[in-house]
Amino acid sequence: MRLWALLAALLYLYTLASWADESADPRRISFQLTPFTKTLTQQSVSQTFQDSIGMLWFVTQEGLNRYNGNELENFRYSAADIESLSSDTVTRIAQDAEGTLWISTLGGGLNRYDAISNKFTAIYSDPDDKNSPLSNDIHALFSDKEGNIWLGYENGLSVFEPPTGSFRHYTSDKVGTDYLGTVNDFAQSQDGTIWVATLGSGLLKIDPKSLQATPMILAGDHFYGLISENISKVIVDSNNNIWVASRD
């Protein structure tokens, strides 16, 4: 009995020592492939998103996937089903203030996911309807704290209000540039300002009250300003600092 107690104590101490040793070195983190990896619609995951009820969503280069903690469900485009994803080329997923999920695609416009029916409704670009996306090729998607959905395209962006179905569009002529480039990312600072990362026009600042868009200046010969016109990512940290990543 004493021997078993001694062995148990030694094992416990060894476990604590091992844990302490690993925690002392932050580089020693164990990564493992999830059991459902091989059942994803495609192996290149571009976004992982958790919705308000805890579901995990995985955006891949060929379709969308949802994991409920036990099972993985695949979503793909089907020509035989008008309520399937409108395109397999999914770019982003976001959730609005009402809990509705929105999915952007290349070629298939904007998709609204209905959690009750487990189906999708597509909103396509219509040049004769101002309350539709500017393009069916949507590169970026973002939900702001007011519940608006921001969409980024090649040479343009839009803000969409889900409750009313209205769109407000921004093109290069409205922003005051010759060419906006590809809108890659969005972020929002504490005062409601929207920051837009573009490949071609640097960083745009959209005032929350006037909704006017202003390009940020390049550094040039000055010590302030952007170092590049090609911004791939923008985030706002907990101290309200704006961080940008460039491709130059």
Side-chain angles (χ1 to χ4, degrees):
M1 186 67 178
R2 290 181 178 178
L3 179 60
W4 280 110
L6 178 60
L7 289 175
L10 289 174
L11 180 61
Y12 178 67
L13 289 173
Y14 174 77
T15 303
L16 285 177
S18 299
W19 177 85
D21 184 54
E22 289 185 6
S23 62
D25 187 351
R27 296 171 299 177
R28 297 184 61 178
I29 301 175
S30 177
F31 293 92
Q32 296 179 344
L33 287 175
T34 62
F36 56 79
T37 295
K38 293 184 178 180
T39 59
L40 289 168
T41 52
Q42 202 264 349
Q43 299 300 296
S44 297
V45 177
S46 57
Q47 182 189 5
T48 300
F49 178 82
Q50 186 171 33
D51 65 26
S52 58
I53 62 172
M55 297 287 186
L56 288 176
W57 296 81
F58 302 95
V59 173
T60 74
Q61 293 179 356
E62 296 178 14
L64 184 66
N65 306 266
R66 183 186 66 188
Y67 181 62
N68 63 11
N70 295 305
E71 298 176 332
L72 184 77
E73 184 171 6
N74 303 139
F75 298 97
R76 298 177 186 268
Y77 165 73
S78 171
D81 184 2
I82 62 171
E83 293 183 305
S84 68
L85 272 176
S86 59
S87 170
D88 275 342
T89 312
V90 177
T91 52
R92 302 292 291 177
I93 181 171
Q95 188 170 33
D96 66 24
E98 300 299 319
T100 300
L101 291 171
W102 299 90
I103 298 94
S104 58
T105 71
L106 295 181
L110 181 65
N111 285 244
R112 178 185 185 275
Y113 173 69
D114 187 326
I116 296 176
S117 65
N118 204 30
K119 298 290 186 178
F120 299 86
T121 302
I123 303 176
Y124 294 101
S125 175
D126 182 350
D128 297 322
D129 183 4
K130 66 178 183 179
N131 287 316
S132 71
L134 274 178
S135 168
N136 287 325
D137 294 329
I138 305 170
H139 296 272
L141 193 70
F142 176 73
S143 177
D144 67 24
K145 59 186 180 183
E146 287 78 27
N148 302 311
I149 303 297
W150 293 81
L151 297 80
Y153 321 97
E154 180 76 22
N155 200 32
L157 61 132
S158 303
V159 57
F160 168 53
E161 297 181 4
T164 64
S166 65
F167 282 77
R168 180 186 178 95
H169 303 302
Y170 297 82
T171 53
S172 57
D173 57 327
K174 289 185 178 181
V175 176
T177 62
D178 294 330
Y179 177 63
L180 275 177
T182 302
V183 175
N184 253 15
D185 197 22
F186 297 93
Q188 186 175 29
S189 49
Q190 294 173 6
D191 64 354
T193 299
I194 298 294
W195 301 88
V196 186
T198 75
L199 293 177
S201 289
L203 188 68
L204 305 180
K205 177 183 178 181
I206 299 181
D207 184 272
K209 295 181 179 179
S210 67
L211 293 180
Q212 295 299 308
T214 305
M216 297 292 96
I217 65 172
L218 289 174
D221 296 328
H222 307 287
F223 66 89
Y224 58 87
L226 291 171
I227 62 171
S228 171
E229 292 180 329
N230 297 311
I231 306 299
S232 56
K233 186 73 176 176
V234 56
I235 64 169
V236 179
D237 67 21
S238 58
N239 293 319
N240 209 37
N241 296 310
I242 314 300
W243 294 79
V244 297
S246 73
R247 291 192 176 182
D248 294 342

